[in-house]
Amino acid sequence: MNNTTNHPAGYSIAEGNAASRNAYSWSKKTFPNRAGKPGEPARDLDGGFSNEIRFGTERLGISSDGIGTKIEVAERLNKYDTLGYDLIAMTADDLIAAGFVPTNLSNIIDVNHLDYDVVDEMMRGLHDAANFAGMAITGGEIAELGNRIGGWPGARMNFNWCSTAIGVLHPSLPQPLSGNTARAGHAVVALRSPSFRSNGYSLARKTLQRVFGDNWHEAPFQLAVSSEQLTKQASTDKLPSTWGEAMLAPSLIYAPGVAALLDAGLPLHGVAHITGGGLADNFQRVLKNGVGAVLDNLFEPLPAMRRLMEIGDISAETAYLYWNMGTGMLLVTEPDSADAVVASLQASGYDAQVAGRLTEEQGVTLRVAAGELRYT
Amino acid sequence: MNNTTNHPAGYSIAEGNAASRNAYSWSKKTFPNRAGKPGEPARDLDGGFSNEIRFGTERLGISSDGIGTKIEVAERLNKYDTLGYDLIAMTADDLIAAGFVPTNLSNIIDVNHLDYDVVDEMMRGLHDAANFAGMAITGGEIAELGNRIGGWPGARMNFNWCSTAIGVLHPSLPQPLSGNTARAGHAVVALRSPSFRSNGYSLARKTLQRVFGDNWHEAPFQLAVSSEQLTKQASTDKLPSTWGEAMLAPSLIYAPGVAALLDAGLPLHGVAHITGGGLADNFQRVLKNGVGAVLDNLFEPLPAMRRLMEIGDISAETAYLYWNMGTGMLLVTEPDSADAVVASLQASGYDAQVAGRLTEEQGVTLRVAAGELRYT
């Protein structure tokens, strides 16, 4: 698939990737500043840099991210106490995907003008999410930036919210998980996502705005005839009553479940956190040494995603490029451990299932209800 | 002084402080999540929490902050390669003020729409600043947020930029610097600031806009008669040619100089990084156990600050509340080490001088050219 030809969300994933690569190349030039000192970036088995930094014998990971434009949904609903789950999920689950158990979080709230009560609601939710994730919030900053911050005009306060999380490499791992040890024949376990997490909101909001107008968040959430036959899993979620509610559903934080299966001694060879760029793009970054994958037992896309595809005339190709399509994390494990990995995740309260396997043939094939999608 | 009655910058410092205190109280409730585990928040001698987090025997600090509205000046001048110094100064110097030597930085760039070249210039400057500070940039994220980000309309790209820095407690320190061991009679050493750093821009921009109009950044920078008699120190700075240039002058990063004097075994009992809220407010946070201070030998305010006071009819009280007034950091040391501390900082390339002393009488007194300012 070519990510550059269409920009249905209004921005280019390829341009973003190029700027990120360039930013990383500037960053890498600063790594020698810590050579042989605390904070030294570690190298992986292949001699490249892993995302581990060393302090004495401690092996830490660090991850930064924000909630993005999902905040507009909270502004529209005037409900701010679930965004903390999104904020923590973005960084904590990037860390656990590399084998780091998230421990600490520092957050920055940029506001146009300060509203004490909105910040209070946000922090209450962040507190709840930190308890869920077993993390301590050990840093924070609130900055009042006036017209540098925009958002939904009807909101009490417009803001952007980002954080940096720190984690420790799980003691069972000789090095961060990178996919380097993944082999054809390994099994792929999927973790279900009950929400959009924090990605794909530009495309979703654009579609909802076009179909329902300025107050799309108040539009009743109704399934079309073709979406009514929900799968067993999807039907266990309470259906939202409005589109606003559907889009605000918080991110499930996977880190505790993945940490628990590592605690149990189960083997992992790579983990993909499905964020911007969709399922295949995020999973391909984990596939090294020329292996590919066939995923023929993924979770069903969320009802909201299926409905958006219908009302927005969005192709499966586009939807799988911008949205997680019901699967928030993919874990590579050994075939005879796959059932135990699924059982461990289920015991931690997550929906998990064996979703496919790694192949000698390169590329990722998704066999989903919409047909077969190939990514090379 | 009462910080709540006047809002010459258009926002209330007191409201911001209340929201920050509330956010911290939510955060503190999450500290038990790491009790006895990696990432545990440490307690200080008095039983309260210090800003130290423990990983095994490693004692780390973490600090998050952004550049704020100074970015508008870079947008106006279309010059982005010095902001990295401001970004690193904010967090690195908060860390060293608590005794943590900054080691790693993770940064987040929020943009309205991505401009590859602007980000490239920003990252080049961040790279230069990281080399100056001896830090490695080991994390980063770029987020495209559309109309959630605003700024100067003529700019190629509008953005906000924040970062989180990690540091290690200097090995000579039994615990983070908090001011707990500061005593009446201790000496106060000042480090000169050749710029506004990243604080007080709302007030400065408001004044410049009123006096010079929309394109204030192009207005020639001229000193009035009353400002022409520059002190020796101020005259060693090259005078800016425009107001834009004056306001973009980058932050000096103090961390390497302070780390060097700790390396040399010189004693420190508290350090104040002068950021939002001005000289006295930031210094008062370091003064514990009822001690006060008289500072009668501070650096001269920058020419730009003196000129802004004149053209904007800004009182000394207000100016000292929002701007650093030429002093970027205050260090508390023992009286017979004060000259050695000054000499060490000068050997590292900084302008430093003994600025005053701690007193048994509470409150901070500034004896400056504008008169005597008392803060209780």
Side-chain angles (χ1 to χ4, degrees):
Chain A
M1 295 197 74
N2 185 334
N3 295 355
T4 61
T5 45
N6 295 306
H7 303 171
Y11 64 91
S12 161
I13 291 175
E15 271 178 54
N17 288 344
S20 293
R21 274 194 304 273
N22 180 56
Y24 178 65
S25 79
W26 279 115
S27 300
K28 217 157 68 167
K29 289 186 213 290
T30 67
F31 288 5
N33 289 331
R34 301 309 306 165
K37 297 177 190 166
E40 177 171 18
R43 290 182 177 274
D44 61 24
L45 290 182
D46 300 332
F49 287 104
S50 71
N51 42 12
E52 176 193 331
I53 50 182
R54 293 221 172 122
F55 292 88
T57 57
E58 298 297 316
R59 309 172 71 179
L60 304 189
I62 187 167
S63 170
S64 294
D65 206 353
I67 310 181
T69 61
K70 185 172 187 171
I71 290 171
E72 185 187 309
V73 187
E75 289 174 344
R76 285 170 174 268
L77 298 188
N78 197 27
K79 177 171 167 54
Y80 304 96
D81 61 352
T82 59
L83 291 178
Y85 287 88
D86 299 301
L87 188 70
I88 289 191
M90 291 303 100
T91 52
D93 287 347
D94 269 359
L95 284 175
I96 200 70
F100 297 98
V101 179
T103 58
N104 300 77
L105 187 97
S106 188
N107 74 108
I108 299 181
I109 309 174
D110 285 344
V111 308
N112 56 348
H113 53 80
L114 193 61
D115 184 302
Y116 181 96
D117 296 327
V118 173
V119 173
D120 181 59
E121 247 189 83
M122 291 163 64
M123 289 304 300
R124 175 161 54 81
L126 187 66
H127 157 269
D128 296 347
N131 287 353
F132 181 91
M135 297 171 73
I137 306 165
T138 39
E141 182 72 22
I142 304 170
E144 201 156 353
L145 299 182
N147 67 0
R148 303 197 68 79
I149 300 296
W152 195 60
R156 284 190 276 165
M157 174 180 105
N158 292 135
F159 60 100
N160 292 314
W161 200 7
C162 65
S163 77
T164 296
I166 297 177
V168 287
L169 191 64
H170 192 277
S172 71
L173 298 173
Q175 63 169 344
L177 294 170
S178 67
N180 272 339
T181 56
R183 298 284 175 265
H186 279 166
V188 181
V189 171
L191 274 161
R192 192 171 78 92
S193 170
S195 76
F196 281 79
R197 300 180 72 74
S198 266
N199 293 103
Y201 277 77
S202 294
L203 174 59
R205 286 186 302 114
K206 227 173 121 185
T207 304
L208 291 165
Q209 176 84 30
R210 196 173 67 236
V211 175
F212 297 112
D214 282 346
N215 289 320
W216 58 258
H217 58 286
E218 294 171 355
F221 182 80
Q222 286 170 323
L223 295 177
V225 176
S226 63
S227 293
E228 268 167 4
Q229 296 179 341
L230 296 174
T231 60
K232 189 180 135 283
Q233 260 117 1
S235 65
T236 60
D237 292 336
K238 182 177 158 287
L239 277 182
S241 60
T242 62
W243 271 102
E245 215 182 287
M247 298 308 296
L248 189 60
S251 301
L252 182 56
I253 302 170
Y254 300 120
V258 180
L261 73 84
L262 288 169
D263 290 345
L266 291 164
L268 286 180
H269 292 283
V271 176
H273 178 201
I274 311 306
T275 55
L279 238 157
D281 188 46
N282 281 286
F283 193 42
Q284 277 183 311
R285 293 181 203 186
V286 169
L287 300 178
K288 309 279 168 69
N289 310 316
V291 297
V294 173
L295 304 178
D296 50 13
N297 190 37
L298 289 162
F299 287 99
E300 287 291 310
L302 298 187
M305 290 166 181
R306 293 154 69 181
R307 188 71 181 128
L308 272 175
M309 289 171 68
E310 289 170 1
I311 63 178
D313 197 21
I314 294 165
S315 69
E317 285 75 11
T318 297
Y320 275 86
L321 187 61
Y322 285 93
W323 299 328
N324 63 55
M325 300 307 275
T327 295
M329 191 168 267
L330 292 170
L331 304 91
V332 178
T333 187
E334 283 157 32
D336 50 9
S337 297
D339 290 342
V341 166
V342 168
S344 169
L345 292 167
Q346 288 173 342
S348 296
Y350 297 88
D351 284 332
Q353 63 194 26
V354 178
R357 66 200 175 283
L358 299 195
T359 57
E360 283 179 20
E361 192 191 0
Q362 288 200 9
V364 172
T365 300
L366 309 183
R367 291 202 186 112
V368 294
E372 182 169 298
L373 301 171
R374 286 273 307 153
Y375 303 79
T376 50
Chain B
M1 296 198 74
N2 184 334
N3 296 353
T4 60
T5 44
N6 294 308
H7 302 174
Y11 63 91
S12 159
I13 291 175
E15 271 177 54
N17 288 345
S20 293
R21 273 194 304 273
N22 180 54
Y24 179 66
S25 81
W26 278 115
S27 300
K28 216 157 69 166
K29 289 185 210 293
T30 68
F31 288 3
N33 289 331
R34 302 308 306 166
K37 299 177 191 168
E40 177 171 17
R43 289 182 180 274
D44 61 24
L45 289 183
D46 300 333
F49 287 102
S50 71
N51 43 11
E52 175 193 332
I53 50 181
R54 292 219 172 125
F55 293 88
T57 56
E58 298 295 317
R59 309 173 70 179
L60 304 189
I62 186 166
S63 171
S64 294
D65 207 353
I67 310 183
T69 60
K70 184 172 188 172
I71 290 172
E72 186 187 307
V73 187
E75 290 174 343
R76 285 170 174 269
L77 298 188
N78 196 28
K79 177 170 166 52
Y80 304 96
D81 62 352
T82 59
L83 292 177
Y85 287 89
D86 298 302
L87 188 69
I88 289 191
M90 292 302 100
T91 53
D93 287 347
D94 269 358
L95 285 175
I96 201 70
F100 297 98
V101 179
T103 57
N104 299 78
L105 187 97
S106 188
N107 74 108
I108 299 180
I109 309 174
D110 286 344
V111 307
N112 56 349
H113 53 79
L114 192 61
D115 185 304
Y116 181 97
D117 295 328
V118 173
V119 173
D120 180 59
E121 247 190 82
M122 291 163 64
M123 289 304 300
R124 175 161 53 80
L126 187 64
H127 157 270
D128 296 347
N131 287 352
F132 181 91
M135 298 172 73
I137 306 164
T138 39
E141 183 70 22
I142 304 169
E144 201 156 354
L145 299 182
N147 66 1
R148 302 196 69 78
I149 301 295
W152 195 60
R156 284 191 277 165
M157 175 180 105
N158 291 135
F159 60 99
N160 292 313
W161 201 6
C162 64
S163 77
T164 297
I166 298 176
V168 287
L169 190 64
H170 193 277
S172 71
L173 298 173
Q175 63 168 344
L177 294 169
S178 67
N180 273 338
T181 56
R183 298 283 174 265
H186 279 167
V188 182
V189 170
L191 274 160
R192 190 171 79 92
S193 170
S195 77
F196 282 78
R197 300 181 72 77
S198 267
N199 294 102
Y201 277 78
S202 293
L203 174 59
R205 287 184 303 113
K206 227 174 124 182
T207 305
L208 290 165
Q209 175 83 30
R210 196 174 65 236
V211 175
F212 297 112
D214 283 345
N215 289 320
W216 57 258
H217 57 286
E218 294 170 355
F221 183 81
Q222 287 169 321
L223 296 178
V225 175
S226 63
S227 293
E228 265 166 6
Q229 296 178 340
L230 295 175
T231 59
K232 187 180 139 284
Q233 260 116 1
S235 66
T236 60
D237 292 336
K238 184 179 155 289
L239 276 181
S241 59
T242 63
W243 270 103
E245 215 182 287
M247 298 308 296
L248 189 60
S251 301
L252 182 56
I253 303 170
Y254 301 119
V258 180
L261 71 83
L262 288 169
D263 290 345
L266 291 164
L268 286 181
H269 292 283
V271 176
H273 178 200
I274 311 306
T275 56
L279 239 155
D281 188 46
N282 280 287
F283 192 42
Q284 277 183 310
R285 294 181 203 186
V286 170
L287 301 178
K288 309 280 168 69
N289 310 317
V291 297
V294 173
L295 304 177
D296 51 13
N297 190 37
L298 289 162
F299 287 99
E300 288 290 312
L302 298 188
M305 291 167 181
R306 292 154 68 184
R307 187 70 181 129
L308 272 175
M309 289 170 69
E310 289 171 2
I311 63 178
D313 197 20
I314 295 165
S315 69
E317 285 75 11
T318 296
Y320 274 87
L321 187 61
Y322 285 93
W323 298 329
N324 63 54
M325 300 307 275
T327 295
M329 191 168 266
L330 292 169
L331 304 91
V332 177
T333 187
E334 283 157 30
D336 51 8
S337 297
D339 289 342
V341 166
V342 167
S344 170
L345 291 167
Q346 287 173 342
S348 296
Y350 297 88
D351 284 333
Q353 63 194 26
V354 178
R357 66 201 176 282
L358 299 195
T359 57
E360 282 179 23
E361 193 193 358
Q362 287 201 8
V364 172
T365 300
L366 308 183
R367 291 201 187 112
V368 293
E372 182 169 299
L373 302 171
R374 285 272 308 152
Y375 303 80
T376 50

